[in-house]
Amino acid sequence: MTKLVPALQDYLTDLGLTPPNVLSLEFVQQLQGRHVARHSFNSLSVVLGDALPLDIASLSHKFVNRELGGYCFEHNKLTFELLKALGYEVQLVLARVLNNRDISAPRTHRVTLLTLDGMRYLIDTGFGGHGPIAPLQLTPNLRQTAGQDRYQIATYETAYGMREYALQIEQEQALFTLYCFDLASYSDADCELGHFYSHKHASAVFVNNLMASLKTPQRTVFLQNERLKITTQGDMQMQRIDSAETLQRVLAEVFSIALEFVVAEHLFDRFISPKLAAENRLES
């Protein structure tokens, strides 16, 4: 049986899994599905100005013991290191988040490529509400279903003659490009740059928005500032976060994140109250 360092063993146990006797895709599917259902994708530590170390002991403590979740550089680092320690063939990949825009974006998203039995798969446990809950084959233009969502990985050549891949999700019978990536060799040093930008740069998305999401095969919950969106089997409901009390309750009941009221009040005043005031001015 594989001997894991305590931090990775704690992470594995937290997901209710044991090291596989034989490396299989089924185990990876269980790992990915349970991870995104349990550990929320969120920007809380970023907007609160917390330190965000990326060593395995710190990540395991944050996710398992404190149940605080995090964002891609944390989620996918933990998943990558566990798969690597178990003996899976994995590759660190950095991606450009596009969200269907034609922009020149920096590489601020970390994902994992896994090779098993001659097939390559994209593994992503840290992209939030639009992220896949299961491995996706790195097979161009193949429509693949993961939970409630259908995906496709497109491929194209850049202006410099480089081959890149784009993860696309089907929305209203059209394809929406989430991010693009290549197969270059990246390291933790490269991640540190994207990680620093993502939680320190004044214009970074996570610095300027309060976000949280969890995802199961049946249900996706996504909080962005004043709006909580819940999608269940294609049925979407929207809830407005209208007070600090509501924010504190939603974070606790929906995302299992317990915050003192003074912290919830600070977040409400900073990220939600100005947006509600702007909406009210437009409606009046």
Side-chain angles (χ1 to χ4, degrees):
M1 181 175 292
T2 303
K3 179 70 173 178
L4 300 173
V5 298
L8 291 177
Q9 182 60 59
D10 290 345
Y11 169 50
L12 189 66
T13 301
D14 179 69
L15 296 178
L17 295 171
T18 57
N21 294 322
V22 178
L23 300 184
S24 68
L25 185 62
E26 180 182 5
F27 174 85
V28 183
Q29 291 170 330
Q30 292 177 341
L31 170 65
Q32 186 169 349
R34 294 185 189 189
H35 180 111
V36 298
R38 173 161 175 72
H39 296 299
S40 66
F41 172 89
N42 69 72
S43 64
L44 276 169
S45 294
V46 176
V47 299
L48 291 175
D50 295 341
L52 295 177
L54 294 180
D55 63 281
I56 295 303
S58 297
L59 292 176
S60 180
H61 179 71
K62 183 186 181 188
F63 278 63
V64 176
N65 300 105
R66 300 182 66 198
E67 298 185 322
L68 290 179
Y71 73 161
C72 70
F73 287 104
E74 300 169 291
H75 285 275
N76 282 314
K77 170 70 179 285
L78 200 52
T79 302
F80 175 93
E81 293 296 343
L82 176 60
L83 290 171
K84 181 180 177 182
L86 291 173
Y88 283 93
E89 182 182 342
V90 288
Q91 177 184 346
L92 188 167
V93 170
L94 289 179
R96 305 182 191 274
V97 178
L98 302 177
N99 284 325
N100 224 36
R101 298 167 295 170
D102 184 14
I103 58 173
S104 179
R107 295 188 186 277
T108 57
H109 183 55
R110 171 181 179 147
V111 297
T112 298
L113 285 185
L114 177 144
T115 302
L116 183 66
D117 297 330
M119 178 66 70
R120 287 187 296 185
Y121 300 89
L122 175 68
I123 313 295
D124 191 348
T125 56
F127 198 70
H130 283 156
I133 67 169
L136 299 175
Q137 291 184 29
L138 197 67
T139 301
N141 304 321
L142 173 67
R143 294 293 176 97
Q144 305 177 62
T145 300
Q148 301 181 72
D149 298 312
R150 281 173 58 80
Y151 297 91
Q152 173 177 289
I153 297 178
T155 185
Y156 59 94
E157 276 196 8
T158 68
Y160 303 101
M162 301 291 291
R163 190 182 195 194
E164 290 213 338
Y165 298 83
L167 177 63
Q168 301 174 320
I169 188 171
E170 189 177 288
Q171 292 186 336
E172 298 178 354
Q173 298 183 336
L175 289 171
F176 182 99
T177 299
L178 300 174
Y179 55 77
C180 66
F181 58 94
D182 59 24
L183 304 183
S185 177
Y186 297 100
S187 68
D188 281 337
D190 298 303
C191 290
E192 287 289 349
L193 288 175
H195 174 52
F196 185 84
Y197 174 92
S198 297
H199 78 286
K200 290 295 186 181
H201 198 280
S203 64
V205 171
F206 300 113
V207 172
N208 292 286
N209 291 277
L210 177 61
M211 305 167 68
S213 68
L214 281 171
K215 195 166 187 178
T216 71
Q218 297 80 29
R219 186 171 181 256
T220 300
V221 287
F222 178 58
L223 170 73
Q224 182 162 358
N225 301 317
E226 80 279 19
R227 299 189 184 279
L228 176 70
K229 183 169 73 171
I230 302 174
T231 305
T232 307
Q233 298 294 346
D235 177 53
M236 192 268 285
Q237 295 182 338
M238 194 77 75
Q239 177 182 340
R240 202 182 200 197
I241 307 298
D242 56 7
S243 68
E245 290 84 358
T246 301
L247 176 62
Q248 184 188 37
R249 176 179 54 79
V250 165
L251 288 173
E253 295 180 0
V254 178
F255 300 101
S256 300
I257 299 174
L259 293 182
E260 294 182 4
F261 179 72
V262 66
V263 178
E265 191 173 36
H266 163 72
L267 294 173
F268 180 84
D269 290 343
R270 180 179 169 190
F271 293 100
I272 298 176
S273 184
K275 295 185 182 298
L276 294 179
E279 290 178 5
N280 291 336
R281 286 195 297 270
L282 289 175
E283 292 172 359
S284 62

